[in-house]
Amino acid sequence: MAIQATSVQDMYNKMREKLADVVPDVELQIKAEIAYEINRLKVEKNAIILGHNYMEPALFATIPDYVGDSLMLSRKAAQTDKDIIVFCGVEFMAETAKILNPNKTVLLPASHAGCSLAESISAEDVRWLRSQYPGVPVVTYINTYADVKAESDICVTSGNAVAVVNSLQSDTVIFLPDEYLAKNVARETGKQIILPTRAGNALEKMHAGVDNGMKANIELTSPADFQMVGWHGRCEVHDKFTVSDIQAVRAQFPDVVIVSHPECSPEVVEASDFSGSTQAMINFVERTEAPRYLVLTECSMGDNIAAANPHKEMLRLCSVRCPHMNQITMEDTLDSLRYNQYEINVPEEIRVRAVRAVERMIAFG
Ligand code: 13P
Ligand code: SF4
């Protein structure tokens, strides 16, 4: 929850209590002024700020009314009665908030904050997949744009993908667009997966299901051999973590507990001690009694966990950052509120189709 402060000095004092171990004092002094002004404007404009778990610590701890993973923030967006939603996250998240709130102003503090997964698939790709697998339900990761959601039956996040797939009354599902999340879900649901490609109209078949999600290039002969159709999208951040990274860290720190996001490869997930959505990872570290952790996801989340768990040591692999999430700064969030920028809009014809898939996800429980 946002810090309620009566003055800049009060904001600075409260920020120090939370962040003194992870943010240098010179930075706290600057950020306290900005945070105070953002929270003042937020009230004046009847706005709500939603902050993804990847936001940098000073922003994360001070201005969002709610922080969380994509699923939690979608729920908060669906529930709010404020006039303006400022989304400190990336474009597909703000777009989802707009899909749910067509009559509210939804603002993203950067003119463009994309996502390699959202960019990996088009609405036309989904229509092509439906034509190849008629009658098979389309389950779409929330990390997609509105036009792709509009072609889908239900959205999922990493927080509920396994439960949603298990709940569908269909042995076979199309699961888009994250190849690794699909393989991780396939393994957990006991499904075998193929990854079709439109190039040359040939099916590139990969067997990645029931054993451990890691067998590749085994020819499958008939649709009876698979129950999940995936796609080739990858997160440019989680794709970079490797099993040898894990082995090297374990060799150096034998007591480390390793936690990974399911956008990591199945091999990395398998080599980790726990895997889950960003919020599930935060909760796992909080409830686990071990001295040292490595969280394989955007590195700023390690800072946020460290701030909340001062007696736990967080190791970080920070050479891999999400350039899109890192677009969002406190300075730009202040400008966002001051100048109503950058407004997210979704054409109504797309929104009315996309909202069905998003609302099904929210209603899923
Ligand atoms: P979560 O839904 O787990 O927060 O993940 C969003 C994301 O983009 C991870 O890279
Ligand atoms: Fe997209 Fe990956 Fe960045 Fe998440 S971390 S927003 S999946 S590029």
Side-chain angles (χ1 to χ4, degrees):
M1 288 298 274
I3 292 180
Q4 307 297 325
T6 52
S7 63
V8 173
Q9 184 62 42
D10 186 32
M11 175 63 81
Y12 166 75
N13 293 341
K14 288 176 172 162
M15 285 173 78
R16 273 202 67 182
E17 273 168 40
K18 284 189 171 197
L19 299 170
D21 288 344
V22 294
V23 182
D25 198 62
V26 280
E27 170 114 327
L28 281 182
Q29 290 174 25
I30 299 166
K31 296 284 168 85
E33 266 185 53
I34 304 173
Y36 182 75
E37 181 58 8
I38 289 174
N39 287 345
R40 192 194 64 74
L41 261 184
K42 190 171 62 177
V43 175
E44 187 181 298
K45 295 201 145 189
N46 196 30
I48 182 173
I49 298 183
L50 303 177
H52 187 261
N53 287 326
Y54 288 163
M55 293 297 104
E56 56 99 359
L59 187 162
F60 182 81
T62 57
I63 58 169
D65 299 284
Y66 297 98
V67 291
D69 61 14
S70 314
L71 185 59
M72 290 170 69
L73 296 179
S74 305
R75 292 216 166 101
K76 294 300 175 194
Q79 289 161 2
T80 187
D81 58 1
K82 301 286 183 190
D83 297 327
I84 299 175
I85 300 171
V86 180
F87 216 117
C88 292
V90 288
E91 210 155 306
F92 73 80
M93 296 177 177
E95 222 186 43
T96 305
K98 183 68 183 180
I99 289 169
L100 290 161
N101 294 283
N103 299 322
K104 295 189 197 301
T105 301
V106 177
L107 302 174
L108 184 73
S111 61
H112 180 64
C115 169
S116 63
L117 283 170
E119 261 119 63
S120 72
I121 191 160
S122 67
E124 175 50 29
D125 292 327
V126 187
R127 287 193 287 273
W128 176 79
L129 283 162
R130 278 205 192 269
S131 73
Q132 301 297 302
Y133 306 100
V136 176
V138 175
V139 178
T140 297
Y141 196 26
I142 196 165
N143 297 38
T144 47
Y145 292 124
D147 57 342
V148 166
K149 291 185 172 82
E151 302 293 335
S152 309
D153 295 303
I154 186 164
C155 285
V156 292
T157 73
S158 54
N160 63 8
V162 170
V164 169
V165 167
N166 274 332
S167 77
L168 294 174
Q169 308 286 314
S170 172
D171 287 342
T172 308
V173 295
I174 297 172
F175 189 104
L176 309 171
D178 185 346
E179 172 186 340
Y180 288 156
L181 180 63
K183 287 179 173 174
N184 288 318
V185 171
R187 191 186 53 218
E188 281 200 50
T189 56
K191 292 188 186 304
Q192 299 195 64
I193 184 169
I194 59 162
L195 298 179
T197 174
R198 295 182 70 182
N201 221 7
L203 284 187
E204 182 184 86
K205 291 169 178 167
M206 294 183 79
H207 184 297
V210 287
D211 290 342
N212 55 15
M214 282 174 250
K215 289 184 189 166
N217 300 325
I218 295 175
E219 276 296 309
L220 298 172
T221 50
S222 88
D225 291 330
F226 60 85
Q227 303 93 33
M228 190 180 272
V229 180
W231 195 245
H232 301 274
R234 288 190 188 175
C235 162
E236 66 195 86
V237 178
H238 295 92
D239 189 26
K240 304 256 174 37
F241 300 122
T242 64
V243 173
S244 55
D245 291 336
I246 292 182
Q247 286 163 345
V249 174
R250 286 203 197 277
Q252 191 181 351
F253 303 99
D255 61 353
V256 70
V257 172
I258 298 187
V259 182
S260 62
H261 195 277
E263 288 169 10
C264 293
S265 74
E267 294 87 344
V268 165
V269 167
E270 187 89 335
S272 307
D273 298 298
F274 176 81
S275 178
S277 77
T278 54
Q279 193 59 46
M281 291 192 280
I282 290 170
N283 297 346
F284 175 84
V285 174
E286 241 154 46
R287 66 171 187 261
T288 303
E289 284 307 321
R292 190 179 273 143
Y293 302 82
L294 172 68
V295 179
L296 293 175
T297 198
E298 158 59 38
C299 148
S300 54
M301 209 176 93
D303 293 329
N304 293 331
I305 300 178
N309 298 272
H311 305 298
K312 294 179 179 173
E313 187 185 336
M314 302 304 297
L315 304 174
R316 296 171 184 80
L317 298 183
C318 284
S319 51
V320 186
R321 305 298 307 261
C322 176
H324 316 291
M325 287 283 183
N326 280 289
Q327 295 267 328
I328 309 300
T329 64
M330 284 178 79
E331 290 80 355
D332 289 342
T333 306
L334 179 55
D335 281 351
S336 178
L337 273 167
R338 273 184 181 149
Y339 309 119
N340 265 16
Q341 64 191 28
Y342 294 88
E343 196 167 343
I344 299 290
N345 286 303
V346 178
E348 187 61 8
E349 173 271 321
I350 291 176
R351 192 198 71 79
V352 291
R353 291 187 292 125
V355 77
R356 294 174 307 197
V358 177
E359 279 179 345
R360 274 186 205 126
M361 174 188 82
I362 304 244
F364 181 75

